[in-house]
Amino acid sequence: MEQYSVPAAKKNKKFIYGLVREGARAKEYETAIMWLSDCGLVHKVSRVKSAGIPLKAYEDLKAFKLFVVDVGLLGCMAGLHEHTLLDGNKLFLEFKGALTEQYICQQLKTIDDLGIYYYTNDRGSCEVDFIIDTGEQIVPVEVKSEINLKSKSLKSYREKFSPDFSVRSSMKDFKKDERLINLPLYAIEQITDVIANI
């Protein structure tokens, strides 16, 4: 869940204490967030501002996203009816991205020894949904809920850090174009195997 408020489809996806309660500060909620994370009820994904190994060395502990443990819980918390999911309601377009990002996070969290972060530049004009650290490689992962695959942020990240390759997970079939791999949403849990076999 982003911002710990629903709907989770707001533009600013970083957790903001002031949205929990006006005037709230980190010291009032950090123990609760740590408890929720330690109990496995939420996934805390920290921001990184650079891309080196180990990625944890570049972690910004003050900026993070919170995801619930399951996409079904997020949908329930948001009051999302199953008919909206099945019909592809046009009002559902923004929140679809939040659900897809939630799904990718929970799939990545099942992979052992995988560091999971997200990236934004200092101005906040560029955000890559996930940056993963396999221990040997840093791989940016862009998440798309539809088949529109344009991503200025991923392009900007690639120009700045020149990763060996990038992953985009979407509704499209598997495809490899030079240093960009399109991995279908349903296959995201195979990301480390795909990376190892390139």
Side-chain angles (χ1 to χ4, degrees):
M1 182 173 82
E2 297 154 359
Q3 293 187 341
Y4 215 22
S5 65
V6 176
K10 294 186 179 182
K11 297 281 184 207
N12 185 358
K13 298 175 183 177
K14 181 177 77 170
F15 183 91
I16 299 172
Y17 292 99
L19 292 177
V20 177
R21 185 181 55 79
E22 191 173 332
R25 299 282 179 245
K27 66 180 181 177
E28 299 172 73
Y29 293 99
E30 59 191 355
T31 302
I33 291 171
M34 186 172 53
W35 183 87
L36 289 168
S37 181
D38 290 347
C39 289
L41 297 172
V42 297
H43 299 302
K44 184 177 177 183
V45 177
S46 296
R47 178 176 74 164
V48 291
K49 296 183 198 175
S50 192
I53 293 178
L55 202 51
K56 189 161 185 64
Y58 302 95
E59 182 178 20
D60 179 358
L61 297 174
K62 294 179 183 177
F64 58 91
K65 295 181 188 181
L66 280 184
F67 294 88
V68 290
V69 70
D70 181 75
V71 71
L73 281 174
L74 179 60
C76 184
M77 290 170 70
L80 185 63
H81 293 279
E82 63 275 5
H83 301 295
T84 305
L85 285 170
L86 297 172
D87 295 341
N89 189 326
K90 290 184 180 181
L91 298 174
F92 177 54
L93 292 177
E94 283 190 38
F95 196 72
K96 191 182 295 185
L99 283 176
T100 307
E101 196 173 333
Q102 166 67 47
Y103 168 77
I104 295 296
C105 179
Q106 70 190 49
Q107 295 302 105
L108 292 175
K109 285 290 188 176
T110 66
I111 301 171
D112 291 334
D113 302 320
L114 188 69
I116 305 168
Y117 304 88
Y118 76 100
Y119 168 82
T120 61
N121 61 8
D122 290 331
R123 297 185 314 270
S125 59
C126 171
E127 179 179 326
V128 177
D129 298 315
F130 297 101
I131 307 293
I132 61 171
D133 182 351
T134 67
E136 297 175 358
Q137 292 176 305
I138 304 299
V139 181
V141 179
E142 184 70 18
V143 177
K144 295 291 183 186
S145 59
E146 294 285 340
I147 56 174
N148 177 6
L149 303 181
K150 293 181 180 176
S151 175
K152 293 179 184 176
S153 291
L154 184 58
K155 181 180 178 187
S156 175
Y157 178 93
R158 291 173 68 185
E159 289 170 356
K160 183 171 183 176
F161 296 109
S162 301
D164 291 337
F165 55 89
S166 307
V167 173
R168 180 177 50 214
S169 191
S170 71
M171 297 292 284
K172 287 283 201 180
D173 292 332
F174 178 86
K175 186 177 180 183
K176 183 174 182 284
D177 292 322
E178 296 180 23
R179 299 183 317 154
L180 178 63
I181 299 165
N182 193 76
L183 194 58
L185 291 169
Y186 67 82
I188 193 66
E189 71 273 4
Q190 299 299 317
I191 191 168
T192 52
D193 293 335
V194 170
I195 292 167
N197 292 317
I198 290 180

